[in-house]
């Protein structure tokens, strides 16, 4: 079955590899390949877009695609154990089959940022959607100005994508990575900053001139990051973030993820702060 | 002489003035001519639109859970009190909540009113053959006037279904009684409908209920309107593990309605609200009536469903003749 | 113009059943439901104002299988459902037919279309019967419709003495009549019957026509009125399930060993778990937000998106609400207040 155009029927895919991101094991990255090459070819994802991942018999969950289309295969999904579906997925082993449909939603407007400085601000698993666009921009680095990545988590072991944040990204010219953790336990090794992401952002104080700030993380972090960015004189349209609400169809019918007349699944998940301010504050 | 509405308003004013209550729950006119809907007043001015008459009303007791917070949930022990307009059926429902330790009696000010059964305007319209523009009630005779016709109807004929099965027409322990019952409504036990179903064979009975339940759209109105359904977290709202599949299949319909019937067995006050709110007219009263009838027979009680400290299915005996 | 004798309706339904599933209003334990006829083509009734369930059931059923899967030995096979049969809905009311056009907006417009709904719609025909006697809950005229409106129908039947005047609205309707020409007769008499139905007023009338209310509601997100009506709401899903335009659903997996199916089932914004996310965040935690969501969706969000109000004035929700939460009341209140 390689040809269904039915939006609600997922395509079969195989988990090629599973990597633990955090030492507590609550975040894993799944490397996934479609079983049918034609279906892969039709899956034209852009950075920031999501896909519905099916654990057959359990359900579906909307997950952001963390790999960049500039590095197409395998598709990567970094998933935190939260609800029914993600918990079931965490019990999966390499080689097992899942269902995928998508890609859904809008994407980060990276092509509108050409020539600008980019400031990425992430917290915890919130780096997963940012990672796709960070790698996208790094792969097209000549089109962009400086790239600043500010990333924090609760503790050093909760930082995701360690190879990239410690090694790959800092080694690219014009890319700066600033890391912070909320606190460290006794005996933990940590030579970077300690503190919360919003304060750390103010400390680093990136310039708003010809810049775009993109943030993603826990809702409470986003709230304070937005305040900090305002303090740093970023304008609303210079700030980009993502929203997340409960979704079951992903294509704008099931009626769960609306904020006003916008549906997060098709009109989002990427919104500018300007757009968010114009919405009813109900998310 | 003051009418009942005026008497009520006077009492409400008094209660608010003396700061005896923070909220009064009663009825006001709804959008349609004869619809009476729940109304909430936080001061006397808001209560002025409230009304007492003889048209169909919903039960009010269930709102007390939300307005007072549950005792066990730690929200209560509030000194604030809620006033509530109460007929016999509502009174039983309130007792249900008190006996179940959901709310505290001292948080309530009960304004009791007599009741000789409420009128179902839909039935009046049907008998009249058009939409009634005016309905006047004079003891047992109702005069319904439409644009073209007018007709005298026996009140008995257009009584609300649930009032025909009323088991409590007065409010036994009201704080304020607006009027005594003139003559108590006749409360007679009538299990004829239940007995009709009992006569059917098992297969016929199954077929009957399957047909009824297959109509169910699982809107949960029966549960949401029921005062005996007062679990803090309803088993059907628990998503993990999912006790009831959202998928509406016959097996799931039976599961839902049977579990609910078993859960309210012996606690159902026979108010008939579940049947009344059902959008697809499932005769839930039959199901609950069967339980009520059996409990009365098996446990030798007069009237199952009258909330009491000790209830047939609410206690156990060490010398129970049947093994667990 | 054609006419169809009432005594010929059963014959027509039987003939149509040769190629299609037939749905018609039937009495079931005193309740009028739009149900599938199987060999009982005489069972249709005219004794209803509105059927308990709406025509939505036939094109977007409460439950449907999205797909089946088999996952034996890690060989996952996913199969969409088999093709649907042709279907004819007979005895639909004009309000319900109009509601189908709103569902078309949701399921057929935009980047994605819904395969299940689309197939059923393409294989479906609506034969509407104009309303002889709207009741006190009817307010289709508030939404630019009428007891004799044709929007959304393929054929409209206008009741006269012992026959219906037949108006074919769409090509599909015309073909249906042509293919069954022997059952229809020529209507020679000239009369204003159709016009009478079209100009008929519903009891609630058009005073609760929302007009430009959507514009005004944009700023009324925090209006205390939402709190007032939500206080009354019991939180059941009655209003949304009987509504011919509500389309929210849940997707559920049912597993039996290695096999299983995925279904979708109507769901309601009135339920407390509807918006609940993994991690227990709920953007609409109380009945206040959920009540506002329902009315804002119908009177503002939908209008912003599709330039139509998401209500056809069929009166089901207002008839069925146990505590008198009334959309016409909301409209009139808001119009007066704003």
């Amino acid at each position: 079955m390689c040809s269904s155009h039915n939006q609600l029927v997922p395509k079969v895919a195989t988990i090629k590899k599973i990597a633990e991101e955090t030492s507590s094991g609550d975040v894993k990255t799944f490397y996934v390949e479609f079983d049918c090459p034609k279906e892969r070819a039709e899956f034209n994802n852009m950075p920031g877009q999501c896909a519905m991942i099916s654990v057959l018999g359990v359900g579906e969950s909307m997950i952001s695609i963390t790999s960049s289309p500039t590095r197409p295969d395998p598709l990567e999904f970094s998933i935190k154990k939260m609800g029914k579906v993600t918990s079931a997925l965490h019990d999966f082993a390499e080689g097992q089959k899942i269902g995928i449909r998508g890609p859904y939603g809008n994407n980060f407007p990276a092509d509108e940022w050409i020539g600008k400085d980019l400031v990425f601000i992430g917290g915890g698993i919130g780096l997963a959607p940012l990672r796709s666009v960070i790698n996208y921009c790094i792969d097209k680095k000549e089109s962009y100005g400086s790239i600043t990545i500010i990333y924090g988590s609760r503790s050093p072991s909760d930082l995701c994508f360690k190879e990239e944040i410690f090694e790959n990204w800092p080694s690219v010219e014009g890319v700066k990575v600033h890391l912070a953790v909320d606190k460290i336990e006794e005996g933990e090794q940590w030579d970077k900053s300690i503190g919360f992401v919003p304060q750390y952002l103010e400390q680093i104080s990136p310039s708003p001139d010809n810049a775009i700030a993109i943030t993603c993380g826990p809702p409470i972090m986003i709230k304070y990051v937005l305040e900090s960015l305002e303090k740093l004189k970023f304008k609303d349209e210079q700030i980009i973030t993502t929203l997340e609400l409960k979704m079951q169809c992903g294509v704008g019918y099931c009626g769960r993820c609306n904020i006003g007349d916008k549906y997060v699944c098709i009109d989002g998940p990427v919104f500018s702060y300007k757009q968010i301010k114009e919405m009813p504050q109900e998310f | 002489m003051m009418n009942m509405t005026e008497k009520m308003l006077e009492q409400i004013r008094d209660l608010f003035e003396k700061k005896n209550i923070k909220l009064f729950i009663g009825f006001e006119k709804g959008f349609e001519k004869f619809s009476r809907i729940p109304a909430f007043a936080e001061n006397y001015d808001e209560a002025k639109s409230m009304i007492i008459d003889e048209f169909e009303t919903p039960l009010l007791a269930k709102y007390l859970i939300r307005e007072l917070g549950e005792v066990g949930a730690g929200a209560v022990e509030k000194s604030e009190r809620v006033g509530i307009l109460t007929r016999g059926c509502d009174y039983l429902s309130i007792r249900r909540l008190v006996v179940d330790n959901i709310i505290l009696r001292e948080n309530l000010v009960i304004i009791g009113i007599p009741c000789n059964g409420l009128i179902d305007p839909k039935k009046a319209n049907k008998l009249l053959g058009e939409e009634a523009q005016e309905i006047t009630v004079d003891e047992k005779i109702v005069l319904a006037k439409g644009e073209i016709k007018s007709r005298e109807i026996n009140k008995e004929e257009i009584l609300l279904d649930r009032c025909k099965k009323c088991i409590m027409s007065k409010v036994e322990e009201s704080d304020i009684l607006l009027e005594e019952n003139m003559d108590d409504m006749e409360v007679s036990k009538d299990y004829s409908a239940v007995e009709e179903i009992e006569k059917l064979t098992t297969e016929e009975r199954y077929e009957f209920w399957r047909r009824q339940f297959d109509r169910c759209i699982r809107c949960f109105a029966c549960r949401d309107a029921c005062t005996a359904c007062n679990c803090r977290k309803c088993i059907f709202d628990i998503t993990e593990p999912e006790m009831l599949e959202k998928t509406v299949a016959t097996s799931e319909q039976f599961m839902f309605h049977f579990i609910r019937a078993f859960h309210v067995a012996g606690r159902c006050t026979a108010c008939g609200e579940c049947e009344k709110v059902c959008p697809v007219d499932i005769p839930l009263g039959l199901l609950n009536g069967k339980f009520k009838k059996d409990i009365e027979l098996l446990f030798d009680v007069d009237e199952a469903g009258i909330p009491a400290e000790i209830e047939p299915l609410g206690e156990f005996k060490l010398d129970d003749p049947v093994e667990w | 113009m054609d006419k169809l004798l009432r005594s010929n309706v059963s014959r027509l339904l039987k003939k149509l059943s040769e190629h299609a599933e037939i749905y018609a209003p039937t009495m079931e334990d005193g309740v009028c439901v739009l149900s599938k006829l199987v060999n009982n083509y005489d069972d249709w009734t005219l004794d209803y104002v509105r059927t308990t369930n709406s025509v939505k059931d036939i094109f977007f059923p409460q439950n449907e299988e999205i797909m089946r899967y088999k996952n034996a030995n890690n060989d996952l096979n996913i199969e969409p459902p088999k093709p649907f049969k042709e279907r004819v809905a007979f005895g639909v009311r004009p309000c319900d037919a109009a509601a189908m056009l709103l569902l078309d907006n949701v399921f057929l417009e935009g980047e994605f279309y819904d395969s299940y709904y689309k197939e059923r719609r393409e294989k479906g025909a609506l034969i509407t019967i104009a309303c002889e006697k709207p009741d006190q809950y009817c307010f289709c005229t508030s939404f630019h419709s009428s007891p004799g409106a044709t929007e959304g129908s393929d054929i409209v039947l206008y009741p006269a003495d012992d026959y219906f005047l037949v108006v074919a609205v769409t090509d599909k309707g015309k073909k249906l009549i042509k293919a069954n020409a022997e059952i229809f007769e020529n209507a020679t008499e000239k009369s204003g019957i159709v016009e009478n139905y079209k100009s008929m007023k519903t009891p609630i009338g058009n005073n609760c026509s929302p007009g430009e209310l959507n514009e005004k509601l944009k700023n009324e997100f925090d209006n205390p009125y939402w709190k007032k009506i939500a206080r009354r709401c019991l939180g059941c899903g009655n209003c949304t399930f009987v509504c011919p335009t509500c389309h929210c659903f849940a997707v559920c997996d049912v597993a039996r060993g290695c096999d299983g199916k995925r279904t979708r089932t109507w769901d309601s914004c009135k339920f407390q778990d509807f918006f609940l996310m993994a991690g227990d965040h709920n953007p609409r935690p109380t009945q206040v937000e959920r009540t506002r969501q329902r009315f804002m969706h119908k009177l503002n969000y939908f209008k912003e998106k599709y330039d139509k109000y998401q209500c056809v004035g069929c009166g089901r929700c207002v008839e069925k609400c146990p505590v008198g939460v009334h959309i016409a009341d909301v409209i009139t209140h808001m119009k007066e207040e704003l």
Side-chain angles (χ1 to χ4, degrees):
Chain A
M1 285 294 297
C2 213
S3 60
S4 173
H5 285 280
N6 185 327
Q7 276 304 325
L8 295 185
V9 175
K11 320 280 191 273
V12 178
T14 305
I15 299 172
K16 293 289 172 186
K17 189 179 133 190
I18 300 173
E20 299 255 5
E21 290 295 341
T22 59
S23 50
S24 61
D26 64 343
V27 179
K28 288 180 181 177
T29 298
F30 296 81
Y31 297 75
V32 175
E33 269 173 22
F34 280 88
D35 285 14
C36 165
K38 187 168 158 256
E39 283 170 359
R40 174 63 185 98
E42 285 167 2
F43 190 93
N44 291 313
N45 60 307
M46 287 297 286
Q49 280 193 296
C50 301
M52 271 290 196
I53 304 279
S54 279
V55 176
L56 281 305
V58 179
E60 279 186 307
S61 209
M62 188 69 112
I63 306 286
S64 78
I65 305 160
T66 189
S67 50
S68 163
T70 50
R71 308 168 190 190
D73 284 303
L75 284 169
E76 294 166 32
F77 300 91
S78 295
I79 300 171
K80 186 168 179 165
K81 199 171 171 171
M82 285 291 280
K84 218 164 50 174
V85 177
T86 51
S87 298
L89 209 50
H90 267 243
D91 293 335
F92 269 48
E94 289 171 6
Q96 281 190 285
K97 305 277 186 194
I98 56 170
I100 295 188
R101 56 190 182 91
Y104 294 128
N106 64 356
N107 51 275
F108 288 108
D111 295 338
E112 293 170 20
W113 304 338
I114 286 170
K116 293 188 196 271
D117 292 338
L118 305 178
V119 183
F120 295 98
I121 307 140
I125 183 68
L127 188 61
L130 291 184
R131 178 175 171 255
S132 64
V133 69
I134 289 172
N135 279 330
Y136 184 87
C137 294
I138 283 178
D139 291 343
K140 301 180 175 212
K141 181 69 185 65
E142 66 286 354
S143 303
Y144 299 97
S146 71
I147 293 179
T148 308
I149 299 162
I150 301 168
Y151 178 45
S153 67
R154 265 173 305 174
S155 70
S157 64
D158 288 317
L159 291 166
C160 298
F161 313 112
K162 294 194 177 64
E163 197 181 324
E164 280 166 319
I165 58 174
F166 287 114
E167 291 165 31
N168 301 358
W169 291 346
S171 66
V172 179
E173 207 188 306
V175 177
K176 277 209 173 72
V177 180
H178 304 271
L179 301 175
V181 294
D182 297 352
K183 59 174 196 286
I184 52 164
E185 299 295 327
E186 260 188 44
E188 259 182 317
Q189 289 289 319
W190 184 248
D191 58 359
K192 314 275 191 227
S193 292
I194 295 174
F196 295 113
V197 170
Q199 285 95 315
Y200 191 42
L201 164 68
E202 287 180 38
Q203 207 180 312
I204 294 161
S205 183
S207 160
D209 297 338
N210 193 34
I212 294 283
I214 307 102
T215 181
C216 191
I220 188 75
M221 183 208 90
I222 294 187
K223 184 173 174 246
Y224 288 108
V225 164
L226 293 175
E227 283 179 17
S228 299
L229 286 169
E230 281 189 314
K231 268 192 226 166
L232 295 171
K233 303 270 188 281
F234 276 82
K235 293 199 190 84
D236 294 345
E237 52 271 28
Q238 281 178 286
I239 305 172
I240 309 286
T241 186
T242 66
L243 292 175
E244 194 188 344
L245 282 177
K246 185 170 178 174
M247 299 172 196
Q248 296 222 307
C249 72
V251 286
Y253 314 144
C254 82
R256 273 180 181 67
C257 68
N258 76 305
I259 305 171
D261 62 340
K262 297 278 182 287
Y263 282 81
V264 174
C265 65
I266 48 179
D267 301 310
V270 177
F271 294 99
S272 74
Y273 192 28
K274 184 166 181 279
Q275 287 173 305
I276 287 177
K277 276 186 169 174
E278 286 163 1
M279 290 174 179
Q281 299 301 297
E282 193 177 40
F283 43 84
Chain B
M1 210 180 90
M2 276 197 287
N3 69 26
M4 203 118 74
T5 302
E6 289 162 348
K7 283 186 197 171
M8 170 187 68
L9 290 178
E10 195 169 77
Q11 294 292 344
I12 295 174
R13 179 165 56 195
D14 194 48
L15 286 169
F16 276 118
E17 268 173 13
K18 291 187 177 139
K19 298 198 180 352
N20 258 335
I21 52 169
K22 60 156 187 176
L23 173 74
F24 190 83
I25 312 178
F27 301 105
E28 63 186 10
K29 287 185 178 174
F31 187 81
E32 287 116 21
K33 211 170 222 111
F34 303 111
S35 90
R36 302 292 176 260
I37 60 175
F40 300 80
E42 290 182 5
N43 53 54
Y44 175 61
D45 273 346
E46 288 178 1
K48 281 178 180 162
S49 60
M50 288 190 182
I51 184 172
I52 301 176
D53 56 19
E54 287 172 287
F55 296 110
E56 165 184 1
T57 59
L59 252 59
L60 295 176
K62 186 92 190 224
Y63 292 114
L64 292 172
I65 304 178
R66 207 190 292 165
E67 297 297 341
L68 280 168
E70 285 177 62
V71 176
V76 185
E77 252 50 67
K78 283 180 203 159
S79 53
E80 289 168 312
R81 304 209 292 176
V82 171
I84 183 165
L85 189 70
T86 306
R87 292 191 175 96
C89 44
D90 250 318
Y91 164 68
L92 285 184
S93 301
I94 291 171
R95 281 270 307 271
R96 173 88 277 139
L97 294 176
V98 172
V99 166
D100 290 355
N101 202 25
I102 302 293
I103 58 170
L104 299 174
R105 176 65 180 85
E106 52 263 42
N107 287 134
L108 297 178
V109 177
I110 295 180
I111 295 191
I113 51 169
C115 181
N116 286 314
L118 300 175
I119 287 171
D120 185 343
K122 274 188 220 168
K123 288 187 183 171
N125 289 344
K126 202 157 194 184
L127 286 178
L128 188 64
E130 62 175 305
E131 204 197 332
Q133 300 299 316
E134 208 184 302
I135 297 179
T136 40
V137 186
D138 181 21
E139 301 231 340
K140 290 186 172 156
I141 300 293
V142 177
L143 182 66
K145 278 187 190 161
E147 270 171 8
I148 311 160
K149 288 170 269 187
S150 85
R151 182 174 168 174
E152 270 191 8
I153 305 168
N154 268 335
K155 187 178 163 188
E156 205 58 31
E157 282 181 82
I158 54 169
L159 221 47
L160 198 57
D161 284 339
R162 68 178 164 114
C163 296
K164 290 183 189 164
K165 301 177 207 158
C166 175
I167 61 168
M168 177 69 83
S169 67
K170 56 176 186 271
V171 184
E172 273 175 357
E173 42 173 29
S174 47
D175 297 296
I176 298 159
L177 191 62
L178 288 188
E179 262 173 37
E180 293 285 347
N181 259 16
M182 302 286 277
D183 50 338
D184 277 354
M185 197 168 100
E186 243 174 75
V187 175
S188 64
K189 216 169 273 191
D190 177 11
Y191 285 124
S192 55
V194 174
E195 280 154 7
E196 284 303 310
I197 302 291
E198 284 171 338
K199 282 181 203 153
L200 302 176
T201 65
T202 313
E203 287 74 26
E204 286 167 338
R205 246 186 356 250
Y206 174 80
E207 191 46 39
F208 174 80
W209 285 112
R210 188 202 54 74
R211 214 170 56 231
Q212 306 299 329
F213 293 153
D214 270 354
R215 227 168 34 235
C216 174
I217 53 172
R218 205 90 73 65
C219 68
F220 295 109
C222 47
R223 176 199 65 181
D224 293 331
C226 174
T227 347
C229 270
N230 55 35
C231 292
R232 202 170 301 154
K233 182 90 183 172
C234 174
I235 188 168
F236 302 121
D237 282 340
I238 295 172
T239 46
E240 275 178 70
E242 198 172 57
M243 294 302 185
L244 183 72
E245 284 170 10
K246 272 199 190 272
T247 307
V248 181
T250 303
S251 60
E252 300 298 294
Q253 306 292 45
F254 271 86
M255 160 93 174
F256 167 62
H257 287 288
F258 280 3
I259 295 288
R260 205 185 84 80
F262 269 104
H263 207 183
V264 300
R267 298 168 57 253
C268 162
T269 59
C271 71
E273 195 74 354
C274 52
E275 196 170 274
K276 180 168 150 278
V277 301
C278 179
V280 292
D281 296 346
I282 298 173
L284 293 163
L286 271 182
L287 196 58
N288 296 329
K290 168 67 177 160
F291 277 97
K292 185 168 177 291
K293 177 170 176 274
D294 284 358
I295 290 169
E296 282 164 9
L297 187 74
L298 296 169
F299 293 85
D300 191 24
V301 283
D302 222 22
E303 193 74 77
I306 307 272
E309 294 304 320
I310 294 175
E311 297 179 337
L313 302 184
E315 63 163 349
F316 68 94
K317 287 180 180 153
L318 286 174
D319 57 349
D320 197 293
V322 182
E323 259 185 74
W324 278 92
Chain C
M1 196 181 278
D2 291 312
K3 73 177 186 182
L4 173 66
L5 292 176
R6 290 189 191 202
S7 54
N8 267 340
V9 168
S10 299
R11 209 178 125 206
L12 174 68
L13 297 181
K14 187 158 190 256
K15 174 96 187 292
L16 292 173
S17 75
E18 288 166 13
H19 307 284
E21 293 175 347
I22 305 296
Y23 296 82
T26 49
M27 287 308 257
E28 205 181 272
D29 298 298
V31 187
C32 185
V33 283
L34 200 56
S35 60
K36 191 166 153 184
L37 299 187
V38 183
N39 294 325
N40 52 337
Y41 303 105
D42 293 329
D43 282 0
W44 66 279
T45 176
L46 261 184
D47 187 19
Y48 64 102
V49 177
R50 62 184 74 72
T51 47
T52 302
N53 54 343
S54 75
V55 72
K56 161 173 101 171
D57 286 30
I58 296 161
F59 297 93
F60 171 51
Q62 177 152 22
N63 265 301
E64 70 179 306
E65 199 177 294
I66 292 176
M67 57 178 222
R68 278 176 183 266
Y69 71 87
K70 261 191 201 323
N71 196 8
N73 307 317
N74 202 29
D75 178 21
L76 178 61
N77 271 298
I78 297 174
E79 258 183 66
K82 294 192 177 72
F84 302 126
K85 290 209 175 93
E86 299 276 334
R87 56 199 60 215
V88 175
F90 175 86
V92 176
R93 291 303 188 193
C95 50
D96 276 8
M100 290 310 297
L101 298 179
L102 299 178
L103 290 181
D104 287 352
N105 285 129
V106 174
F107 287 122
L108 305 178
E109 255 184 36
E111 190 184 347
F112 306 106
Y113 61 84
D114 186 85
S115 306
Y116 313 90
Y117 180 84
K118 184 165 185 267
E119 189 186 335
R120 286 202 185 88
R121 277 294 266 160
E122 283 166 357
K123 293 181 176 173
L126 295 187
I127 304 181
T128 299
I129 300 180
C131 303
E132 286 179 276
K133 213 170 176 191
D135 70 7
Q136 70 266 35
Y137 305 111
C138 290
F139 57 110
C140 61
T141 48
S142 292
F143 292 92
H144 309 297
S145 186
S146 77
T150 57
E151 285 79 9
S153 307
D154 293 303
I155 296 170
V156 183
L157 305 178
Y158 293 90
D161 310 326
D162 61 345
Y163 62 91
F164 298 102
L165 277 178
V166 180
V167 172
V169 184
T170 60
D171 284 345
K172 199 188 267 180
K174 281 175 194 147
K175 275 184 204 151
L176 195 150
I177 292 170
K178 208 172 164 194
N180 300 282
E182 75 279 10
I183 301 174
F184 294 89
E185 291 168 25
N186 266 341
T188 44
E189 60 262 70
K190 231 177 127 187
S191 71
I193 289 178
V194 172
E195 285 63 37
N196 279 348
Y197 278 105
K198 286 187 174 170
S199 59
M200 203 192 278
K201 292 273 173 276
T202 52
I204 295 182
N206 44 11
N207 358 340
C208 44
S209 177
E212 299 300 312
L213 190 62
N214 66 311
E215 288 295 325
K216 293 176 184 162
L217 280 178
K218 274 183 194 164
N219 305 316
E220 300 308 316
F221 198 69
D222 297 316
N223 194 310
Y225 183 68
W226 302 126
K227 208 170 167 182
K228 186 176 175 240
I229 52 172
R231 204 165 191 173
R232 228 159 55 219
C233 177
L234 295 170
C236 74
N238 196 333
C239 50
T240 52
F241 286 174
V242 296
C243 177
T245 70
C246 275
H247 56 83
C248 293
F249 61 82
V251 175
C252 318
D253 280 26
V254 181
R256 299 278 182 269
C258 297
D259 297 355
K261 59 180 180 180
R262 178 165 290 167
T263 62
R264 71 168 163 197
T265 305
W266 296 349
D267 207 346
S268 171
C269 59
K270 290 287 187 163
F271 292 158
Q272 54 181 353
D273 63 351
F274 185 72
F275 300 105
L276 187 69
M277 295 169 71
D280 280 344
H281 173 62
N282 193 337
R284 299 184 180 100
T286 75
Q287 215 49 53
V288 179
E289 295 87 19
R290 299 196 282 266
T291 300
R292 174 176 61 198
Q293 162 70 10
R294 170 162 172 256
F295 288 117
M296 285 295 247
H297 191 193
K298 292 198 172 300
L299 301 174
N300 178 304
Y301 309 153
F302 199 90
K303 173 92 172 154
E304 295 294 311
K305 207 167 163 160
Y306 302 112
D307 199 26
K308 293 173 190 166
Y309 288 105
Q310 196 203 9
C311 176
V312 290
C314 76
R316 283 190 185 82
C317 61
V318 301
E319 182 189 2
K320 299 297 184 184
C321 178
V323 290
V325 176
H326 200 305
I327 187 164
D329 198 10
V330 174
I331 294 169
T332 31
H333 172 92
M334 284 301 191
K335 271 171 69 179
E336 274 168 29
E337 190 192 311
L338 306 176

